[in-house]
Amino acid sequence: MRFRTEIEPLRSDLRFDHNRPVVMLGSCFTDNIGARLAADGFDVTANPFGALYNPMSIAVPLLRVLDRRPYTAADLTPGPRGFHCLDYSTAFSSDKAEEVITKANNSLETLQRTIEKPGATLIATFGTAYIFSFANDGRPVGNCHKFPASCFIRRRLGIDEITECWQRLATRLRAESGVDRILLTISPIRHLADGLHGNTISKATLHLAVDALAGCCDYFPAFEIMNDDLRDYRFYAADMKHPSETAVDYIYERFSEAYFDRNTLAEAMACRARSRHEAHRPILEP
């Protein structure tokens, strides 16, 4: 007897190995998978701008790199803690404008170095279809930086809007950078500000957009593994929104099955053992 719908073994022609750099952008789920890839010895750059949740905000740093468009003082917004780069996380704020500009441009340089390497792989994790725009000028923001809610207009992105942006971006990345593979995934983290129905509509929008991008991007079913294979609250963290460590381990295991060949998996396991050994801190005897 079977008591759950297990995802069948995933098969893909896309292969990861330790000679190919990986850049990951997206929701905080990206950090979880990125940390495991790093522990397994991969050349991975994960979320240098902090977590980004909607597809348009995830595209922003990539477009800035391709356009060779660094940040200047004109790109910052005065606010509660001095100067803010609303494109990225609250870490990109300071009472000194130059500190924010330097940090943002250093992160752009990190991203640029990675995507310019031949054979680079981009993994983008879409978390929500909702986006905030700054009310004063209509520009989209990646993070509200604790500004008053009245400063923003919130709306849900359209399927065509996401698709058109990422089709153009995929074409440019392959023509103007070292990226030759783009892997999309949808975060299993639940965004419940709009209730369960709102979360479902948001995730459905992302699914339809990703499906429309099948011709230029691959897809890894992290969302389906969490919701249809594991499908149990014991695999959630205490907040009942984020996957537990056990769930992330399981999703990463399925990821490995799909994209690692035997030699890559053996090297990853050896690197993981070394990482654990280096992280181990013995308990001192009294």
Side-chain angles (χ1 to χ4, degrees), residues 62-63 66 122 162-182 213 215-217:
L62 292 164
L63 291 170
L66 292 173
L122 169 66
I162 299 169
T163 303
E164 289 170 8
C165 171
W166 276 82
Q167 281 176 336
R168 290 194 302 269
L169 180 57
T171 299
R172 289 193 64 186
L173 284 168
R174 290 191 170 95
E176 302 173 34
S177 77
V179 172
D180 62 2
R181 294 130 29 114
I182 300 173
L213 291 165
C216 61
C217 304

Side-chain angles (χ1 to χ4, degrees), residues 1-271:
M1 298 177 67
R2 300 177 67 181
F3 293 98
R4 77 180 212 272
T5 306
E6 296 181 51
I7 298 286
E8 295 300 321
L10 301 172
R11 297 287 182 262
S12 174
D13 293 331
L14 191 155
R15 283 288 175 263
F16 283 69
D17 62 60
H18 290 80
N19 296 317
R20 282 180 173 268
V22 180
V23 60
M24 304 180 69
L25 300 172
S27 82
C28 47
F29 182 72
T30 295
D31 296 318
N32 293 326
I33 298 300
R36 285 160 174 78
L37 283 169
D40 282 0
F42 290 90
D43 176 8
V44 58
T45 300
N47 275 352
F49 306 92
L52 297 169
Y53 299 98
N54 71 80
M56 310 306 276
S57 292
I58 295 169
V60 164
L62 292 164
L63 291 170
R64 276 195 172 264
V65 167
L66 292 173
D67 293 338
R68 301 293 194 269
R69 191 158 53 95
Y71 283 91
T72 67
D75 297 307
L76 305 186
T77 304
R81 292 180 305 285
F83 298 92
H84 302 256
C85 179
L86 298 180
D87 288 341
Y88 309 128
S89 76
T90 54
F92 292 82
S93 64
S94 171
D95 58 355
K96 297 180 178 63
E98 192 57 41
E99 287 184 2
V100 182
I101 295 168
T102 298
K103 185 168 187 174
N105 287 332
N106 285 345
S107 295
L108 285 180
E109 289 173 8
T110 297
L111 177 62
Q112 182 175 351
R113 284 195 300 271
T114 304
I115 69 171
E116 284 183 345
K117 295 177 183 177
T121 299
L122 169 66
I123 303 176
T125 302
F126 298 164
T128 179
Y130 287 99
I131 189 170
F132 288 86
S133 298
F134 202 53
N136 285 356
D137 53 22
R139 61 192 162 95
V141 305
N143 191 292
C144 294
H145 283 235
K146 300 182 180 179
F147 277 59
S150 59
C151 293
F152 303 98
I153 298 170
R154 185 171 182 264
R155 68 181 181 89
R156 192 174 67 241
L157 294 167
I159 298 166
D160 291 343
E161 191 176 4
I162 299 169
T163 303
E164 289 170 8
C165 171
W166 276 82
Q167 281 176 336
R168 290 194 302 269
L169 180 57
T171 299
R172 289 193 64 186
L173 284 168
R174 290 191 170 95
E176 302 173 34
S177 77
V179 172
D180 62 2
R181 294 130 29 114
I182 300 173
L183 178 63
L184 301 179
T185 189
I186 294 171
S187 173
I189 296 170
R190 303 193 298 167
H191 295 258
L192 300 181
D194 297 288
L196 289 171
H197 179 66
N199 179 68
T200 299
I201 295 299
S202 171
K203 298 292 188 183
T205 300
L206 298 177
H207 277 285
L208 289 167
V210 166
D211 186 64
L213 291 165
C216 61
C217 304
D218 288 277
Y219 176 67
F220 174 69
F223 182 92
E224 290 82 352
I225 293 170
M226 185 71 196
N227 288 276
D228 296 305
D229 185 344
L230 297 179
R231 198 179 178 83
D232 193 302
Y233 276 107
R234 66 195 167 107
F235 294 112
Y236 282 89
D239 65 1
M240 294 295 137
K241 298 177 185 178
H242 292 74
S244 67
E245 287 295 306
T246 299
V248 178
D249 283 341
Y250 180 73
I251 293 170
Y252 183 66
E253 182 179 306
R254 306 314 301 267
F255 181 94
S256 303
E257 290 174 3
Y259 302 119
F260 299 175
D261 63 21
R262 184 176 300 176
N263 291 335
T264 299
L265 183 60
E267 186 172 349
M269 295 299 291
C271 290

